[in-house]
């Protein structure tokens, strides 16, 4: 199978993860159980996941000139992600995500830090690389104008764009029209298509709008009818990074030339494996692990 070349434009952060029996209410203090720092950020997570699945991955991002920045860069490199376009930004802190794992789910506060320097002009510096890619992936932990400009650039150079619209915010119609694939979860889809029935939105964007529904799977419209590709049941340790793994696996498979159904099945299998390990990247599977999982 062809090794696809993928550029991921996005955030790279350090995740500060606390486990606790329950999350505190406003104004309350609770005693937690463990504390870990692990690499994260939606962009870096997607880059690492795609590299583990066999893609040739180039990250376009920014880190701070601090110890976290060095750790984030080392982690990308050790996972085989090319970092020629990951710039350390002076006098800025690396992005951080403050995560509470409690009651079987996570709550996250993201401080973008250096990720705010992934500007349209910075993306344009990578133009020659972007033109050679089979797929470009972006998320929403970078400035809004970067997402818009990237959609325009992709349209101009004819490279498909996979937009994972997370975290949720409203986006211009132009971005929706110019993206090749959109992968909101149900909550994000509700914000993107406010006031519309989601099944109507799906039929308006066949083979493009892919709405993830967690353990239930992923829903899309194939041009004739709505399809639900079911997920794979597993014992969940930590759901952080499952969406990122889904996006990376879908992007890798579709850029390899697999069809929509096969790509979504591959993505669901990869995402289901990712939740069996701790941390956003801890459970992200290799290609062999996904293939073995699909054969089970
Ligand atoms: O999608 C999971 C990621 O979201 C975490 O790694 C954290 O960095 C947050 O940005």
């Amino acid at each position: 199978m062809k090794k696809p070349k993928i550029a991921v434009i996005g955030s790279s952060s350090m995740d500060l993860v606390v486990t606790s029996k329950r999350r505190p209410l406003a104004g309350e203090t609770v005693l937690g159980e463990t504390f870990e720092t692990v690499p994260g950020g939606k962009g870096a997570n997607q880059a690492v996941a795609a590299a583990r699945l066999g893609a040739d991955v180039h990250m376009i991002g920014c880190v701070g000139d601090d110890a976290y920045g060095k750790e984030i860069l080392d982690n990308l490199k050790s996972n085989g992600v090319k970092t020629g376009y990951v710039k350390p930004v002076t006098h800025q802190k690396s992005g951080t995500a403050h995560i509470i794992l409690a009651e079987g789910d996570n709550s996250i506060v993201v401080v973008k830090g250096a990720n705010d320097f992934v500007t349209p002009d910075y993306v344009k510096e990578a133009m020659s690389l972007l033109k050679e890619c089979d797929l470009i992936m972006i998320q929403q932990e970078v400035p809004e104008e970067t997402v818009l400009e990237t959609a325009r650039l992709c349209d101009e150079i004819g490279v498909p764009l996979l937009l994972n619209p997370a975290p949720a915010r409203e986006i211009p119609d132009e971005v929706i029209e110019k993206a090749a694939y959109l992968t909101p979860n149900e909550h994000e889809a509700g914000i993107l298509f406010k006031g519309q029935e989601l099944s109507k939105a799906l039929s308006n964007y066949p083979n493009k709008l892919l709405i993830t529904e967690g353990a239930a799977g992923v829903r899309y419209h194939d041009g004739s009818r709505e399809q639900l590709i079911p997920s794979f049941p597993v014992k969940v340790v930590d759901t952080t990074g499952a969406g990122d793994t889904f996006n990376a696996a879908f992007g890798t498979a579709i850029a390899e030339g697999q069809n929509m159904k096969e790509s979504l099945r591959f993505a669901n299998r990869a995402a289901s494996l990712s939740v069996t390990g701790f941390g956003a990247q801890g459970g992200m599977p290799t290609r062999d692990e996904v293939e073995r999982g699909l054969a089970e």
Side-chain angles (χ1 to χ4, degrees):
M1 206 163 303
K2 167 180 172 227
K3 187 179 177 95
K5 185 165 185 164
I6 297 178
V8 179
I9 300 170
S11 60
S12 37
S13 304
M14 192 54 77
D15 289 356
L16 284 64
V17 191
V18 166
T19 59
S20 169
K21 283 222 161 49
R22 65 178 183 84
R23 51 184 51 71
L25 303 171
E28 187 191 21
T29 302
V30 298
L31 293 177
E33 286 162 348
T34 62
F35 171 68
E36 303 281 346
T37 54
V38 287
K42 293 185 191 301
N45 291 343
Q46 295 183 17
V48 166
R52 286 191 193 165
L53 295 169
D56 172 22
V57 186
H58 298 251
M59 177 84 199
I60 298 170
C62 291
V63 292
D65 62 349
D66 51 15
Y68 286 161
K70 189 178 171 320
E71 224 178 298
I72 291 166
L73 259 171
D74 289 347
N75 175 64
L76 287 166
K77 288 181 192 157
S78 68
N79 277 284
V81 175
K82 315 266 172 42
T83 57
Y85 286 99
V86 182
K87 180 170 72 173
V89 184
T90 40
H91 310 304
Q92 288 299 324
K93 289 186 176 147
S94 291
T96 48
H98 305 258
I99 304 181
I100 298 176
L101 288 186
E103 301 154 274
D105 212 342
N106 60 29
S107 345
I108 309 183
V109 175
V110 170
V111 181
K112 284 196 283 172
N115 293 310
D116 252 339
F117 289 76
V118 185
T119 59
D121 282 346
Y122 185 53
V123 170
K124 283 184 196 149
E125 285 178 30
M127 216 36 197
S128 54
L129 164 72
L130 297 176
K131 281 183 182 160
E132 292 168 355
C133 286
D134 298 298
L135 181 77
I136 294 171
M137 300 175 57
I138 195 165
Q139 323 73 33
Q140 301 200 130
E141 290 179 338
V142 292
E144 260 179 90
E145 55 274 21
T146 304
V147 177
L148 174 60
E149 196 52 41
T150 300
R152 288 179 176 158
L153 286 179
C154 287
D155 187 53
E156 193 182 305
I157 62 180
V159 177
L161 175 69
L162 193 174
L163 167 61
N164 173 217
R169 66 181 173 222
E170 286 183 45
I171 56 177
D173 288 346
E174 184 183 351
V175 173
I176 297 183
E177 296 308 324
K178 290 194 163 135
Y181 307 104
L182 284 169
T183 55
N185 62 24
E186 287 167 288
H187 163 70
E188 290 149 2
I191 291 175
L192 290 189
F193 301 100
K194 208 162 47 197
Q196 257 187 67
E197 285 291 322
L198 289 188
S199 53
K200 181 86 183 77
L202 284 167
S203 68
N204 284 342
Y205 296 103
N207 297 308
K208 164 171 176 160
L209 177 58
L210 316 168
I211 302 182
T212 56
E213 297 183 0
V218 54
R219 202 175 285 280
Y220 75 109
H221 196 285
D222 68 6
S224 308
R225 72 176 99 87
E226 203 173 292
Q227 301 275 1
L228 174 72
I229 307 295
S231 191
F232 294 78
V234 284
K235 193 167 177 304
V236 176
V237 172
D238 180 0
T239 57
T240 314
D244 297 327
T245 308
F246 173 89
N247 277 276
F250 171 74
T252 301
I254 207 91
E256 279 172 357
Q258 297 194 48
N259 68 31
M260 179 60 74
K261 231 179 204 162
E262 287 164 353
S263 300
L264 290 174
R265 209 166 154 264
F266 183 80
N268 276 349
R269 195 57 182 122
S272 71
L273 289 167
S274 78
V275 302
T276 61
F278 172 80
Q281 298 175 14
M284 282 175 178
T286 61
R287 182 80 186 208
D288 281 355
E289 287 167 337
V290 178
E291 280 169 1
R292 274 202 305 274
L294 283 169
E296 268 167 18

